[in-house]
């Protein structure tokens, strides 16, 4: 199979390098998803209060991350915040910070939505049994809210994984960047390299995201029965 | 059988409550004696459900006072958890927790609030389930039960806290007619065993047979307070007569 571009993936250390890139992508995404989820739960719970100040701050925070593109946030932190505070942060750390804050904002909205969608009588019924605020959330509200949060959370997680492809713009060598390097270095011998390399990267993203969708589906089916 | 000589369990003095400047309760005075069954009747919007919700602190009162034994609801250090434990409530929409099985629903309060021994609480829960004929459903989820079954479970859940008073807020209002009976029979059984209860209902026949005293409310006030037979055969006020006529065809 002369000149079959697919060989490019297995040439030299290409295969290993692509997986190293994938590891960086996955690392940023999963650390951010975990930090973002914890942050989001705290934010979501805080948004069920009646304190106007807390609600206002949360509103600004959420809208800021919804309105301003993630790429701009990466630049703000990588170039702006580091200069302003005179600190040096690696691109990876900045990516984790930005993605965690983004995840926290969106997750907070998912948690709030799930909690507020629960019927009000559930709260009253719990109170009438003598459950205090903490126990009410721990045993009655959060277990029910989690079921309603699954679809939104999985959707957010896959969006975060996909959006990590932006981190290359602040100098992080992720799977997409390594793919570009491989294509660059082999563009003369293998003109079809870009097809195979990007095709392979598509496959790599697919194998991270697809199981999440699967888990989501099976949890939903399980809890609906 | 005069229960008026029994000790007063709940003393309600001049209770006021309003929502959005609309007076819902306008000076309610009432005392509930140990072992007494009080049925509250009245047209919808008369404040009877609100009154019930004030009695266990789900709604805060805005004027007057409610005393459970010696605990005032107005005191700064009112132990609401204790009030909720001692004054149980069953709601119209049988609010069981959908993510828990029947037995988990029943044991949540006894184990997590009262910190009781699991084996002991379980024994009591199973006895109560047996009494209402639902022991075989203890591992079912609420969605697998009929409305009447859910409501009987809700009563067991309230009973398993060993309350001194149980409040029933239109517990049969959402039920299909053929399921009303099974729920009312459970309540009637409790009355025979001397449970202190306040019942809001629209089931007139049931009210008549279960009540020691009927309270008729209208416009946020108690209009009439009498023995059930007297109330149903010879109501004192025009409004009560009018109300009772609605139920006759």
């Amino acid at each position: 199979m002369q000149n079959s571009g697919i060989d490019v993936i297995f040439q030299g250390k290409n295969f290993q390098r692509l997986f190293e890139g994938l590891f960086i992508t996955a690392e940023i995404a999963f650390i951010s998803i975990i930090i973002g989820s914890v942050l989001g739960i705290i934010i979501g719970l805080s948004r069920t209060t009646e304190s106007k100040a807390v609600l206002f701050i949360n509103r600004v925070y959420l809208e800021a991350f919804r309105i301003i593109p993630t790429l701009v946030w990466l630049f703000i932190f990588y170039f702006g915040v580091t200069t302003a505070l005179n600190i040096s942060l690696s691109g990876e750390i900045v990516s984790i910070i930005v993605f965690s804050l983004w995840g926290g904002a969106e997750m907070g909205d998912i948690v709030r939505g799930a909690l507020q969608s629960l019927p009000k009588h559930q709260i009253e019924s719990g109170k009438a049994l003598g459950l205090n605020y903490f126990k009410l959330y721990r045993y009655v509200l959060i277990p029910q809210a989690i079921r309603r949060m699954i679809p939104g959370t999985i959707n957010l997680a896959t969006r975060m994984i996909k959006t990590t492809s932006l981190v290359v713009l602040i100098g992080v060598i992720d799977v997409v960047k390594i793919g570009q390097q491989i294509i660059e270095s082999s563009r003369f011998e293998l003109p079809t390299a870009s097809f195979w390399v990007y095709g392979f990267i598509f496959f790599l993203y697919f194998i991270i995201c697809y199981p999440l969708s699967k888990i989501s589906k099976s949890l939903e089916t399980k809890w609906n029965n | 059988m005069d229960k008026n000589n029994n000790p007063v369990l709940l003393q309600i003095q001049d209770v006021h409550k309003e929502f959005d400047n609309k007076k819902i309760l306008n000076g309610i005075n009432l005392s509930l004696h140990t072992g007494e069954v009080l049925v509250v009747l009245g047209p919808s919007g008369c404040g009877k459900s609100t009154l019930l919700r004030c009695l266990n602190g789900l709604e805060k009162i805005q004027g007057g006072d409610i005393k459970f034994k010696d605990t005032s609801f107005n005191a700064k250090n009112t132990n609401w958890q204790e009030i909720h434990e001692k004054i149980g409530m069953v709601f119209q929409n049988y609010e069981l927790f959908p993510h828990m099985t029947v037995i988990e629903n029943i044991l949540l309060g006894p184990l997590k609030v009262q910190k009781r021994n699991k084996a002991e609480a379980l024994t009591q829960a199973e006895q109560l389930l047996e009494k209402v004929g639902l022991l075989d459903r203890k591992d079912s989820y609420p969605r697998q039960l009929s409305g009447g079954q859910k409501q009987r479970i809700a009563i067991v859940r309230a009973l398993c806290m060993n309350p001194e008073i149980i409040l029933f807020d239109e517990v049969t209002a959402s039920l299909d007619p053929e399921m009303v009976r099974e729920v009312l029979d459970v309540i009637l059984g409790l009355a025979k065993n001397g449970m202190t209860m306040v019942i809001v209902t629209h089931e007139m026949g049931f009210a008549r047979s279960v009540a020691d005293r009927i309270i008729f409310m209208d416009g946020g006030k108690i209009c009439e307070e009498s023995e059930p037979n007297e109330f149903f055969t010879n109501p004192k006020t025009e409004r009560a007569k009018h109300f009772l006529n609605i139920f006759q065809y």
Side-chain angles (χ1 to χ4, degrees):
Chain A
M1 282 231 294
Q2 203 195 357
N3 267 353
S4 166
I6 198 166
D7 293 342
V8 69
I9 289 161
F10 303 101
Q11 268 171 14
K13 285 187 164 178
N14 284 358
F15 190 71
Q16 189 194 336
R17 286 180 63 213
L18 280 167
F19 267 92
E20 282 167 8
L22 183 73
F23 179 75
I24 298 286
T25 298
E27 188 188 27
I28 292 171
F30 282 102
I31 293 176
S32 307
I33 289 167
I34 289 162
I35 299 175
S37 299
V38 175
L39 193 64
I41 288 166
I42 296 167
I43 288 166
L45 289 174
S46 80
R47 286 184 65 186
T48 58
T49 78
E50 279 164 19
S51 155
K52 290 237 161 66
V54 174
L55 291 178
F56 179 75
I57 294 167
N58 273 315
R59 187 91 219 144
V60 172
Y61 170 46
L62 173 65
E63 291 305 328
F65 273 89
R66 274 206 182 139
I67 292 164
I68 303 173
T70 311
L71 179 60
V72 177
W73 278 113
L74 288 170
F75 286 161
I76 290 173
F77 272 84
Y78 191 63
F79 299 112
V81 175
T82 48
T83 323
L85 299 178
N86 199 19
I87 49 171
S88 136
L89 292 175
S90 73
E92 262 175 72
I93 297 291
V94 167
S95 307
I96 289 171
I97 292 172
V98 168
F99 279 83
S100 300
L101 287 174
W102 170 36
E106 297 246 6
M107 190 68 191
D109 208 38
I110 293 170
V111 173
R112 176 202 58 80
L115 284 172
Q116 288 182 346
S117 73
L118 297 174
K120 190 167 155 257
H121 341 269
Q122 288 286 313
I123 299 174
E124 295 191 334
S125 199
K127 276 190 189 161
L129 283 177
L131 298 174
N132 60 25
Y133 187 80
F134 173 79
K135 286 174 185 164
L136 188 62
Y137 273 86
R138 162 76 181 76
Y139 298 109
V140 177
L141 301 181
I142 292 177
Q144 292 185 66
I146 284 176
R147 290 157 164 76
R148 295 175 188 218
M149 278 158 46
I150 291 298
T153 307
I154 298 292
N155 179 290
L156 174 64
T158 49
R159 270 161 62 218
M160 284 172 75
I161 292 167
K162 287 185 288 185
T163 315
T164 52
S165 53
L166 293 176
V167 299
V168 61
L169 293 160
I170 57 168
V172 180
I173 311 294
D174 76 334
V175 66
V176 178
K177 184 69 191 171
I178 288 178
Q180 285 172 344
Q181 289 170 349
I182 292 169
I183 293 163
E184 289 294 319
S185 63
S186 53
R187 64 150 31 117
F188 293 112
E189 313 90 90
L190 291 165
T192 58
S194 60
F195 174 76
W196 294 106
V197 171
Y198 284 131
F200 188 65
I201 290 172
F202 161 84
F203 173 71
L204 293 179
Y205 274 108
F206 180 80
I207 58 172
I208 317 183
C209 294
Y210 186 67
L212 289 177
S213 304
K214 267 293 183 213
I215 292 168
S216 157
K217 268 261 156 43
S218 70
L219 282 178
E220 279 177 63
T221 337
K222 187 178 151 203
W223 282 332
N224 279 336
N225 289 327
Chain B
M1 186 171 57
D2 191 3
K3 293 172 180 167
N4 286 334
N5 297 326
N6 289 353
V8 171
L9 212 46
L10 206 58
Q11 184 76 50
I12 301 148
Q13 291 163 334
D14 195 30
V15 163
H16 287 260
K17 172 86 190 173
E18 56 181 62
F19 292 114
D20 304 327
N21 291 325
K22 193 172 176 288
K23 280 230 174 271
I24 306 293
L25 297 179
N26 198 358
I28 303 281
N29 289 289
L30 201 59
S31 45
L32 179 67
H33 302 262
T34 309
E36 197 178 19
V37 179
L38 210 65
V39 171
V40 185
L41 302 175
S44 47
C46 72
K48 52 194 190 313
S49 282
T50 308
L51 173 65
L52 212 59
R53 293 157 58 82
C54 288
L55 296 187
N56 77 340
L58 276 181
E59 299 286 354
K60 298 279 174 276
I61 54 175
Q62 286 156 336
D65 195 10
I66 298 176
K67 267 192 189 143
F68 172 67
K69 292 178 180 174
D70 293 324
T71 317
S72 160
F73 282 22
N74 284 334
K76 277 221 170 86
N77 56 354
T78 310
N79 184 345
W80 287 109
Q81 183 180 321
E82 196 194 321
I83 304 258
H84 291 320
E85 269 176 60
K86 297 291 180 196
I87 307 178
M89 184 153 181
V90 183
F91 299 84
Q92 176 178 344
N93 293 313
Y94 28 85
E95 291 304 334
L96 299 176
F97 305 127
H99 60 297
M100 295 181 185
T101 61
V102 164
I103 197 78
E104 285 167 349
N105 262 282
I106 297 169
L107 291 179
L108 182 67
L111 298 185
K112 302 302 176 190
V113 176
Q114 297 179 323
K115 310 264 178 220
R116 278 159 60 187
N117 172 285
K118 178 153 187 200
E120 174 262 327
L122 184 67
T123 312
Q124 189 193 1
E126 289 182 341
Q127 280 167 357
L128 290 168
L129 281 173
E130 177 94 68
K131 267 190 199 161
V132 301
L134 289 172
L135 186 56
D136 56 331
R137 306 314 300 268
K138 71 174 181 155
D139 295 315
S140 306
Y141 281 90
R143 62 175 174 271
Q144 299 164 321
L145 305 175
S146 72
Q149 290 174 327
K150 280 191 244 187
Q151 200 57 291
R152 281 183 282 162
I153 300 294
I155 295 172
V156 167
R157 185 173 68 174
L159 280 174
C160 207
M161 300 287 286
N162 295 315
E164 296 188 33
I165 304 173
I166 300 190
L167 313 173
F168 292 91
D169 188 6
E170 302 196 26
V171 290
T172 55
S174 313
L175 294 179
D176 290 337
E178 71 267 30
M179 291 173 181
V180 169
R181 183 77 201 207
E182 63 189 49
V183 173
L184 296 185
D185 280 343
V186 172
I187 303 175
L188 216 51
L190 293 175
K192 283 198 186 111
N193 288 331
M195 188 68 180
T196 314
M197 300 187 279
V198 182
I199 302 170
V200 168
T201 185
H202 285 297
E203 299 288 336
M204 294 302 145
F206 170 69
R208 189 168 182 167
S209 61
V210 79
D212 292 313
R213 203 157 33 119
I214 300 275
I215 304 290
F216 176 72
M217 284 180 71
D218 196 11
K221 285 186 168 163
I222 294 177
C223 296
E224 192 163 337
E225 192 176 336
S226 40
E227 298 266 301
N229 276 330
E230 167 131 11
F231 178 79
F232 284 104
T233 51
N234 190 18
K236 279 175 272 186
T237 58
E238 277 305 311
R239 274 188 280 186
K241 275 179 202 160
H242 182 74
F243 176 75
L244 287 172
N245 273 335
I246 298 171
F247 291 90
Q248 282 166 0
Y249 294 98

